[in-house]
Amino acid sequence: MRMASFHEATAIRALDSHTYLAHFPNEWCIGSVPHGGFVTSCFLSTAALHFSTTHAGRNQPHTITLHLTFLRRTSVGPARFSVRDAKLGKRTSTVHISLTQSSSDARSTAEPSVVGYLTQSNLFTEQGISLPTQWTLHPPPPPRPSFFHSLKPGTADDDGDKNWMLCPPSHPQFRKAAHRVKSYLPRNGQLEPGMADEWICFAQQQPGEKFTQESLGFVADQFPQIVEMYPGTAAADTTARGNPRGGIEDAEEEEEKKKKEKPNWYPTILLNLDIKKCLPPQGAEWLFVRVRAKKIENGRMDLEVVVLDEGGALVAVSNHVCLILGAERNLTRGGGTGEREEEEEGSEKTSKL
């Protein structure tokens, strides 16, 4: 059976002028829960459709800011997005969108799983003061890959680049959505604890698939897990075929260790996204992502995510708050089937990598 492409999986259709429907497929899940970035992209797709139909005359096709709060876990299956026009303006407009899914309990009313505010504008017609800043990535990442024009995405041959190497994510049966992209990490290891760099492209299940504006929700939530790069975890000791701490000859042994290690689950509580520029109309094949944590404590962490395009231009900035839990919390207690769960556990419901 052919797996849905990202574009197909995030397709939204209108039920009426302010209600939209989607379907969350299993292959875009972490465990039993749809990937949080995938869900974020569905919010972006909903806003794009709403402003290309209901509010087409406003000419505000681009989301410039998004703020989502994840209240309950989402699940595979139908999803309904309800839109409320919070403020319609000349330069920007803001909508409130809530995601609900049917409850298996006939006595209960479906409650929102994720709620958010999205602000729309037109990135092509924006005008106003523009000033240079001294911002740059620090520490600077390794030089950009040489394989953009020499490596064909979808092949396993990444030996042409001396700084970056293909690194499949661990626990493929649990992290299904993560295997829908190819992730290239620094060949000599990440630059600092609490930080990770990567270049990513789609894994080419669908030939020619590229990142679009709506894909940025997924990109902002698709990165190597910082927790698993700390010493003592298998993921910290090896990346793909090489082993920065030991040597290539140790890679197979370390890979076996990684397979035996139980995965963590990192459910999102909050996700903000600030989109700075438009990707090309035909989409972007490659994007750079840097993720950084300022504090990891008591099973909770913050994440700052920076997305750059192939030329190094700033595309988006995202900030997350997420929890650190064992995978069993994802796979049990209803297993993400949409069953109503205890409210005090509600913030642990929607998944990140």
Side-chain angles (χ1 to χ4, degrees):
M1 181 178 179
R2 186 180 70 87
M3 292 189 292
S5 68
F6 188 84
H7 177 75
E8 293 168 339
T10 56
I12 305 294
R13 65 182 180 90
L15 185 63
D16 58 43
S17 65
H18 286 72
T19 308
Y20 302 86
L21 302 178
H23 188 278
F24 297 162
N26 181 64
E27 58 263 29
W28 289 96
C29 285
I30 303 299
S32 64
V33 182
H35 186 285
F38 171 85
V39 173
T40 302
S41 282
C42 288
F43 271 81
L44 291 170
S45 295
T46 299
L49 181 57
H50 187 62
F51 278 86
S52 68
T53 53
T54 302
H55 297 307
R58 294 192 170 274
N59 192 26
Q60 295 170 337
H62 307 123
T63 299
I64 57 172
T65 67
L66 169 149
H67 173 99
L68 297 184
T69 298
F70 298 90
L71 303 173
R72 300 169 182 85
R73 71 168 72 202
T74 55
S75 60
V76 171
R80 176 186 294 251
F81 293 87
S82 300
V83 180
R84 176 174 60 84
D85 298 325
K87 174 251 179 181
L88 299 176
K90 184 176 180 180
R91 175 165 178 169
T92 67
S93 295
T94 300
V95 294
H96 176 273
I97 303 179
S98 61
L99 162 63
T100 57
Q101 293 185 278
S102 298
S103 172
S104 61
D105 184 352
R107 297 168 298 176
S108 65
T109 302
E111 297 177 328
S113 298
V114 188
V115 296
Y117 282 95
L118 291 81
T119 298
Q120 298 290 122
S121 188
N122 190 318
L123 291 170
F124 296 139
T125 61
E126 279 188 321
Q127 293 182 339
I129 295 175
S130 298
L131 299 170
T133 71
Q134 298 299 311
W135 179 85
T136 187
L137 288 176
H138 182 78
R144 55 170 278 178
S146 60
F147 57 69
F148 284 139
H149 301 294
S150 61
L151 175 67
K152 181 180 179 181
T155 69
D157 180 15
D158 67 334
D159 292 331
D161 191 82
K162 63 181 181 180
N163 297 305
W164 301 87
M165 63 188 297
L166 178 65
C167 296
S170 59
H171 309 290
Q173 298 303 314
F174 181 69
R175 294 173 177 162
K176 298 182 286 291
H179 285 258
R180 305 306 300 275
V181 297
K182 287 186 176 293
S183 178
Y184 291 80
L185 307 187
R187 188 174 288 277
N188 294 319
Q190 299 294 348
L191 298 175
E192 291 182 358
M195 187 186 82
D197 290 341
E198 70 171 347
W199 283 95
I200 60 171
C201 66
F202 275 117
Q204 303 299 307
Q205 284 93 350
Q206 298 298 312
E209 188 167 24
K210 297 182 179 181
F211 297 115
T212 65
Q213 291 302 107
E214 289 71 42
S215 307
L216 290 176
F218 179 71
V219 172
D221 197 23
Q222 178 56 44
F223 38 75
Q225 289 305 323
I226 286 176
V227 170
E228 297 170 15
M229 292 189 171
Y230 274 77
T233 66
D237 298 328
T238 182
T239 52
R241 293 176 292 114
N243 182 355
R245 291 179 173 80
I248 294 177
E249 65 275 7
D250 298 326
E252 291 185 5
E253 178 182 342
E254 296 298 344
E255 280 296 321
E256 287 302 313
K257 185 191 300 183
K258 208 160 70 168
K259 290 177 183 177
K260 294 177 182 178
E261 192 174 66
K262 293 182 179 180
N264 285 331
W265 179 38
Y266 306 96
T268 308
I269 298 175
L270 178 148
L271 188 153
N272 291 324
L273 181 62
D274 174 5
I275 298 176
K276 303 293 190 180
K277 67 168 292 185
C278 277
L279 297 177
Q282 70 274 19
E285 188 172 5
W286 297 94
L287 289 173
F288 172 87
V289 178
R290 169 170 285 183
V291 58
R292 195 168 203 160
K294 298 178 179 66
K295 190 169 186 178
I296 305 172
E297 188 173 63
N298 296 326
R300 179 167 58 91
M301 63 180 172
D302 61 90
L303 295 173
E304 180 187 56
V305 183
V306 175
V307 181
L308 308 182
D309 65 14
E310 187 177 329
L314 182 62
V315 174
V317 178
S318 181
N319 287 278
H320 307 210
V321 177
C322 61
L323 303 180
I324 306 169
L325 303 173
E328 69 277 2
R329 296 291 292 273
N330 174 298
L331 301 170
T332 58
R333 300 203 321 272
T337 59
E339 294 178 359
R340 187 172 181 176
E341 304 186 34
E342 296 180 16
E343 287 299 323
E344 61 268 24
E345 296 174 347
S347 62
E348 303 175 6
K349 307 307 179 193
T350 297
S351 178
K352 144 187 325 285
L353 234 180

